[in-house]
Amino acid sequence: MTTTLALALILHVLTGLGGVIASYAAWIGLLKKTPRIDGLQRWGVVALLSYVASWLTGGYYYVVYYGSKVKPVILAGKYSWAHTVLTEAKEHFFLFLPLLAAVLLIVLITHRDRIGTDPKLKRPLVYLAALATAIGTAAAVLGVFISGAYRP
Amino acid sequence: MTWNDFLTITHIIGTALGVGGATFAEIFYQKAIADGTVDPTEGAFLRTTYRILRIGMILLVLSGFGYFLLFRLEDHGSRLYSEKIWAKLTIVALILVNAILLELRKIPYWLGSSISITSWYAALILGTWGRRGLSYFLVIALYVAALIVVTAGLELLRRKQAKGRVRTT
């Protein structure tokens, strides 16, 4: 693996984790009785940027290296389900993350005055942040499984 | 210093902060409610302790994923399928879910604090266990047994403290 690819993989994992931590922080912040909107917006920005960075670096790694070098090894090994089930699932639901983070941030910016007072707005935002955290966590766990299946 | 050394140090610091934070969160909480109310100073101590706990958690998770990256980049993929690692990941996930349930007040404090303390100590013990093999189900069974013992122990302490409070009033 070249240094650029190793760097892409490292950035993919670290920025993905950053995104999960940021959406988790936004989720917990939204659960408070009086959410601090400035703090939530900062977490929203971090989540969006992190997920976009993870998307791009993960995409680069997948297209340039995974498909031609890693995938055939996994498929030939005894954990072929790691690709046929896990990677196939991950590469679809992971696409939602930047979009969910973008929606969260846009609402936090455009409706900042209503979030603390309007439960009809706050509740869906809580679910949105929770969903982003859950999908991000699932993507991270699947990533560990997929990497563990690669036995060159 | 190698990456492995760096990750080990970070992982140990994260675990130490988490174990210490969970322990002192319980001690400070017991001290704070001894008189029936949590005053502002006691509240400030508790908030600081919870912040330390969160820092420990972040360090633990980041260094844990650092190990994952290192194993992947060095082609030691088989280590990622260690049952001990998955048992530890399950326990760390429990710490996170428990923190959310406590924040939402969807779990009674007595159970939430027991899960927090037991999970942090379990993560510490698993971390020091080295590469000796442990089955996933054995670790989880031992964890559940420890959780029952810790919950009972803390409940006894609380009852003893409540009795003392009744006597002094």
Side-chain angles (χ1 to χ4, degrees), chain A residues 17 27 31-32 61 145, chain B residues 65 72 78 81 100 103-104:
Chain A
L17 267 181
W27 179 19
L31 290 172
K32 294 191 186 305
Y61 173 80
F145 264 118
Chain B
F65 272 87
R72 169 67 187 83
S78 59
Y81 276 23
I100 295 165
E103 185 74 33
L104 287 168

Side-chain angles (χ1 to χ4, degrees), chain B residues 137-151:
Chain B
F137 290 104
L138 174 67
V139 174
I140 298 301
L142 287 172
Y143 169 81
V144 172
L147 180 61
I148 292 167
V149 171
V150 170
T151 306

Side-chain angles (χ1 to χ4, degrees), chain A residues 14-117:
Chain A
L14 293 184
T15 51
L17 267 181
V20 175
I21 290 170
S23 27
Y24 177 76
W27 179 19
I28 295 295
L30 279 163
L31 290 172
K32 294 191 186 305
K33 271 185 191 163
T34 46
R36 290 184 196 160
I37 307 299
D38 289 337
L40 287 175
Q41 285 180 352
R42 275 196 288 275
W43 284 120
V45 170
V46 174
L48 177 61
L49 293 179
S50 301
Y51 284 136
V52 169
S54 188
W55 222 29
L56 295 174
T57 48
Y60 175 76
Y61 173 80
Y62 187 95
V63 171
V64 175
Y65 189 73
Y66 179 92
S68 58
K69 299 282 192 296
V70 179
K71 183 175 143 184
V73 175
I74 294 178
L75 288 177
K78 63 174 176 174
Y79 304 108
S80 57
W81 50 266
H83 176 82
T84 54
V85 179
L86 305 186
T87 308
E88 291 293 342
K90 187 184 170 187
E91 72 188 30
H92 286 91
F93 67 64
F94 139 89
L95 295 173
F96 287 105
L97 285 168
L99 304 174
L100 293 175
V103 173
L104 180 68
L105 180 61
I106 289 167
V107 178
L108 283 170
I109 290 170
T110 55
H111 293 73
R112 60 168 294 145
D113 298 331
R114 279 177 51 206
I115 293 166
T117 52

Side-chain angles (χ1 to χ4, degrees), chain B residues 8-26 28 48-61 63 95 116-117 120-121 123-124:
Chain B
T8 304
I9 290 167
T10 314
H11 210 62
I12 289 171
I13 291 172
T15 311
L17 291 179
V19 170
T23 309
F24 277 95
E26 185 59 29
F28 287 152
T48 306
T49 315
Y50 292 138
R51 196 169 297 140
I52 297 293
L53 245 174
R54 279 195 284 270
I55 293 170
M57 187 73 221
I58 290 170
L59 287 178
L60 186 77
V61 171
S63 54
I95 295 176
S116 176
I117 288 181
W120 274 108
Y121 276 91
L124 172 76

